[in-house]
Amino acid sequence: MNTPDSQQTFPVTDGGVPDSREEQWRFTPLDKLTGFFDESLKRSTLEVHSQTPIDTLGLGEGIRGSLFTPVDVNTAICGGMERAHYVKLESVSDSPLRLSLTGQSTDPSANHLVIEALQGSRTTVVATHQGLAHHSALTEILVGDGAELTVVSIYDWEAGSIHLGHHVAQVGHDATYRHIVVTLGGELNRIGTTTSYSSSGGHVELLGVYFAHGGQHHEHRLLVDHNQPACTSMVDYRGALQGQGATSIWVGDVKIRPQGEGIETYETNKNLVLSDGCRAESIPNLEIETGDIVGAGHSASTGRFDPEHLFYLRSRGISEDEAKTMIVRGFFTSVLARIGVGDVEEALLRRIDEELAKEKHE
């Protein structure tokens, strides 16, 4: 993933089809992305629904386009769409705003979503992606001063779906931003997440859960840009893999700029391999340009079931299948519990149980 000071503008008319020799694309199966890098992609075939009306923004209207510089031709295409869906959050609400994005076609399409949490607001947004789609998406998120915003993005596409997504967020003074990505369905998901700060005192949590079974490719690329003093960030992504050809890619970049004094950051990625034939790549990166920080670190691990855990549960009369389910649920629960919406957490745990059960048929 490009760091902010190496990002460039990519006009759609310039082409710029990615090449596997480029660092940010070297893990992605580009042969599956035919039609994703053409200007004709500037259309949306997704149905977007919400329990409250959703506005739209034109090019250059409101905050749209103010938070990001396109990092590739794909984000340029999404950012250049005629209209973008716009969600404006103004109040304190204990009830989540639920968005449903449903695909019905493999014709390549695009979407641009803008979320603005105004000063002092507190809200959770749950965006669920389902159906069949070859879809490219850009999401801009502005978290105002003192606001608290949780954005949950669930990707549970049908088999054969392909999704390229990029989330870019800017966090205000003393604001709290929690971003949770759950990736389960589809054939290929590639999701980038870029977060920066507009002032001091911002707190960011980037959390993720993914489960790849045979033939699936789940790729997550993150960048936390500590460009303001006295801010914090915590990254925790956890994945499970099973079945021949299951692939996960996780690249986590944290950049601490000279002005990022007094910051604290830590990122971790853990992968649980459940069967042979899987591939998990985990690449944490940390770039520090000032010595005046509270703390910075990263870790990554990939491994199989702990045999002692299985033995402990089996010795108490629990079947092997039940024991594996309990261990996998425990592995993910600490992240999913951060969603804070009970029915969503329970539904995701059931879906993880379904993914785990596929091992018997692969």
Side-chain angles (χ1 to χ4, degrees):
M1 177 170 293
N2 294 341
T3 54
D5 46 7
S6 66
Q7 289 178 351
Q8 304 176 44
T9 300
F10 286 78
V12 176
T13 54
D14 286 355
V17 175
D19 190 295
S20 60
R21 292 171 295 182
E22 300 175 49
E23 171 59 31
Q24 61 267 42
W25 291 98
R26 67 187 179 100
F27 293 113
T28 308
L30 293 173
D31 58 319
K32 296 183 178 181
L33 301 181
T34 301
F36 272 80
F37 308 106
D38 187 277
E39 190 172 7
S40 62
L41 185 67
K42 282 187 182 180
R43 64 181 184 277
S44 179
T45 60
L46 290 189
E47 293 184 1
V48 181
H49 298 285
S50 170
Q51 74 267 39
T52 59
I54 301 176
D55 292 329
T56 64
L57 294 176
L59 289 169
E61 186 178 353
I63 68 166
R64 182 185 175 187
S66 64
L67 305 182
F68 85 109
T69 299
V71 296
D72 53 34
V73 67
N74 193 246
T75 51
I77 289 171
C78 294
M81 295 185 67
E82 183 177 346
R83 307 297 298 180
H85 293 97
Y86 175 55
V87 175
K88 186 177 183 180
L89 307 169
E90 304 179 80
S91 61
V92 174
S93 176
D94 294 326
S95 300
L97 172 65
R98 301 173 191 255
L99 303 177
S100 175
L101 298 91
T102 306
Q104 299 177 330
S105 170
T106 57
D107 292 335
S109 66
N111 189 61
H112 188 179
L113 172 65
V114 180
I115 300 174
E116 183 177 12
L118 298 186
Q119 182 176 353
S121 63
R122 186 181 74 235
T123 318
T124 296
V125 177
V126 180
T128 303
H129 303 71
Q130 293 178 315
L132 180 64
H134 284 190
H135 181 242
S136 183
L138 171 66
T139 303
E140 291 184 86
I141 301 168
L142 178 65
V143 187
D145 294 348
E148 297 180 24
L149 175 64
T150 297
V151 176
V152 184
S153 296
I154 301 170
Y155 299 98
D156 197 12
W157 300 109
E158 292 180 9
S161 295
I162 297 175
H163 178 83
L164 300 183
H166 194 86
H167 302 247
V168 55
Q170 187 180 88
V171 181
H173 178 66
D174 289 342
T176 298
Y177 172 56
R178 180 181 297 126
H179 182 257
I180 304 171
V181 174
V182 181
T183 312
L184 298 172
E187 178 181 352
L188 187 161
N189 291 281
R190 186 183 191 273
I191 302 166
T193 302
T194 302
T195 306
S196 62
Y197 305 83
S198 62
S199 186
S200 62
H203 176 65
V204 169
E205 293 180 57
L206 303 180
L207 309 172
V209 164
Y210 50 91
F211 201 134
H213 60 76
Q216 280 188 314
H217 178 104
H218 294 332
E219 183 169 344
H220 301 87
R221 291 176 168 266
L222 294 81
L223 169 63
V224 181
D225 181 12
H226 275 283
N227 59 333
Q228 298 289 339
C231 295
T232 64
S233 66
M234 188 276 285
V235 178
D236 187 355
Y237 269 61
R238 303 188 180 199
L241 302 91
Q242 70 177 9
Q244 190 66 36
T247 302
S248 70
I249 309 295
W250 182 88
V251 180
D253 293 336
V254 175
K255 185 179 182 67
I256 304 172
R257 297 182 180 273
Q259 63 269 34
E261 297 177 344
I263 70 93
E264 184 172 11
T265 181
Y266 195 86
E267 61 172 350
T268 185
N269 175 230
K270 298 178 182 179
N271 295 287
L272 187 59
V273 178
L274 306 178
S275 66
D276 295 332
C278 305
R279 175 193 177 197
E281 297 279 356
S282 186
I283 307 172
N285 299 304
L286 182 60
E287 183 178 351
I288 305 174
E289 296 182 341
T290 176
D292 186 11
I293 62 174
V294 175
H298 58 69
S299 64
S301 63
T302 300
R304 292 183 175 271
F305 276 121
D306 188 329
E308 292 186 2
H309 292 169
L310 278 176
F311 176 79
Y312 176 86
L313 295 171
R314 294 294 305 280
S315 67
R316 279 149 179 79
I318 299 172
S319 70
E320 183 173 353
D321 287 344
E322 289 177 314
K324 286 185 176 180
T325 298
M326 291 174 67
I327 292 172
V328 172
R329 273 179 161 249
F331 179 67
F332 286 132
T333 294
S334 62
V335 174
L336 294 178
R338 304 292 290 167
I339 292 175
V341 183
D343 65 305
V344 174
E345 296 170 12
E346 293 170 6
L348 290 173
L349 285 172
R350 289 195 297 270
R351 280 290 291 115
I352 288 170
D353 291 346
E354 293 172 6
E355 291 297 306
L356 185 60
K358 290 180 181 180
E359 182 182 15
K360 302 174 183 179
H361 307 291
E362 295 180 344

